[in-house]
Amino acid sequence: MGEHTDTLDYFEKLLSDKSGGLDIPAGVIIETVQGEGGINVAGLEWLKRLEGICRAHDILLIIDDIQAGCGRTGKFFSFEHAGITPDIITNSKSLSGFGLPFAHVLMRPELDKWKPGQYNGTFRGFSLAMVTATAALKKYWTNDTFERDVQRKGRIVEERFQKLAAHLTEHGMPASERGRGLMRGIDVVSGDIADKITSKAFEHGLVIETSGQDGEVVKCLCPLTISDEDLLEGLDILEMCVKAVASE
Ligand SMILES: Cc1ncc(COP(=O)(O)O)c(C=O)c1O
């Protein structure tokens, strides 16, 4: 595909090409913000159009909200920003609200073909995680106070990351900021530069990951409950490390 080909134009073309040899897929599964893929943010209009294509071709729309869900992007489900309604949703990570293992799959009732007891396994139904998840849902998600706070902290990170990206760019290291809510990254284009920044950060007591094909995105996935004080301290450490790497 050319650099400027819209992926949905291409997808639609494949679906409607009767002699293309492509069977209509049963489902499309996507992350609205790719976590390990490098904080690639799907546009809201793009998501709406994808939903329309799925409906038109009777394809299930599955949102993998394992990393972007549970409030990470500033809404409980990451696709809420786009106002779309998926057929199947996966959730995990902070779902238990307490760091306990817990994952679930939500689906339209008519898609649930399992009979009671048919879908089972040794580790299913971890009762303690269900109790903590229920408590977390009640504490954080019965009004919009928490999501507005996540969005506010996301804007703080966005602004600081934009400045750091501009600083790197001014010093001959092209960089850009991207993300949604508190799922944000600085694409520094090179995995080596990203490693230098994160290694320096580690020396100063800040654990920050990378993602992307070459590990070129410095990725902030701080706790949603982080205090402003801790958030600003972390951002200050990162700024110091980025500036040190930029002037090397
Ligand atoms: C977006 C996404 N989907 C799926 C997974 C796998 O999750 P699990 O280990 O719960 O199967 C991960 C793990 O990082 C993820 O980030």
Side-chain angles (χ1 to χ4, degrees), residues 19 27 31-32 68 92 102 148 178 185 201 203-204 206 220 228 236:
S19 60
E31 298 172 78
T32 67
S92 180
F102 191 28
R148 279 196 284 119
R178 57 175 179 253
E203 284 166 25
H204 290 89
L206 175 71
C220 170
D228 280 22
D236 287 346

Side-chain angles (χ1 to χ4, degrees), residues 236-248:
D236 287 346
I237 294 172
L238 192 64
E239 180 177 331
M240 178 180 69
C241 300
V242 164
K243 287 188 170 165
V245 170
S247 58
E248 269 176 13

Side-chain angles (χ1 to χ4, degrees), residues 5 9 28 34 47 53 55 61 64 85-86 89 95 109-110 119 123 127 129 131 148 152-153 166-167 215-216 221 235:
T5 308
D9 286 346
V28 163
Q34 286 182 334
L47 286 167
I53 295 172
R55 298 284 166 259
L61 178 57
D64 178 348
T85 309
I89 306 158
L95 183 60
E110 62 271 27
Y119 178 62
F123 302 111
S127 316
V131 171
R148 279 196 284 119
R152 180 186 63 79
K153 287 186 274 199
H167 184 86
E216 74 282 12
L221 234 76
L235 288 168

Side-chain angles (χ1 to χ4, degrees), residues 130-142:
M130 291 186 187
V131 171
T132 58
T134 307
L137 287 176
K138 284 185 178 152
K139 180 167 169 64
Y140 297 114
W141 296 102
T142 43

Side-chain angles (χ1 to χ4, degrees), residues 31 36 64 66-67 92-93:
E31 298 172 78
E36 297 316 296
D64 178 348
I66 284 180
Q67 197 159 146
S92 180
K93 304 288 186 207

Side-chain angles (χ1 to χ4, degrees), residues 16-213:
S16 49
D17 182 347
K18 294 200 170 42
S19 60
L22 177 83
D23 288 337
I24 295 290
V28 163
I29 179 161
I30 55 153
E31 298 172 78
T32 67
V33 181
Q34 286 182 334
E36 297 316 296
I39 314 293
N40 299 309
V41 184
L44 303 183
E45 288 306 317
W46 188 94
L47 286 167
K48 279 187 201 148
R49 189 173 159 213
L50 176 64
E51 181 188 44
I53 295 172
C54 287
R55 298 284 166 259
H57 293 272
D58 209 13
I59 298 169
L60 294 177
L61 178 57
I62 306 164
I63 302 287
D64 178 348
D65 236 5
I66 284 180
Q67 197 159 146
C70 299
R72 174 59 53 190
T73 67
K75 292 272 179 199
F76 186 82
F77 292 113
S78 70
F79 53 83
E80 286 180 68
H81 299 279
I84 59 172
T85 309
D87 300 290
I88 298 178
I89 306 158
T90 61
N91 255 163
S92 180
K93 304 288 186 207
S94 52
L95 183 60
S96 81
F98 201 54
L100 296 171
F102 191 28
H104 68 199
V105 180
L106 304 173
M107 65 187 87
R108 289 186 191 282
E110 62 271 27
L111 298 176
D112 183 0
K113 300 292 178 201
W114 281 303
K115 304 264 181 314
Q118 204 172 13
Y119 178 62
N120 61 16
T122 309
F123 302 111
R124 308 287 156 79
F126 182 22
S127 316
L128 181 57
M130 291 186 187
V131 171
T132 58
T134 307
L137 287 176
K138 284 185 178 152
K139 180 167 169 64
Y140 297 114
W141 296 102
T142 43
N143 61 46
D144 67 358
T145 309
F146 185 64
E147 72 173 40
R148 279 196 284 119
D149 200 47
V150 171
Q151 291 164 12
R152 180 186 63 79
K153 287 186 274 199
R155 285 192 292 273
I156 295 174
V157 178
E158 179 181 20
E159 198 184 311
R160 294 286 295 266
F161 275 20
Q162 280 171 351
K163 285 189 183 146
L164 295 184
H167 184 86
L168 284 163
T169 307
E170 279 161 22
H171 286 75
M173 298 177 188
S176 54
E177 180 279 340
R178 57 175 179 253
R180 190 170 277 143
L182 266 178
M183 186 168 186
R184 300 216 158 255
I186 309 173
D187 182 354
V188 299
V189 183
S190 138
D192 288 341
I193 296 176
D195 281 346
K196 279 188 193 168
I197 295 170
T198 54
S199 307
K200 240 182 229 314
F202 187 69
E203 284 166 25
H204 290 89
L206 175 71
V207 178
I208 186 158
E209 270 196 278
T210 60
S211 70
Q213 283 184 332

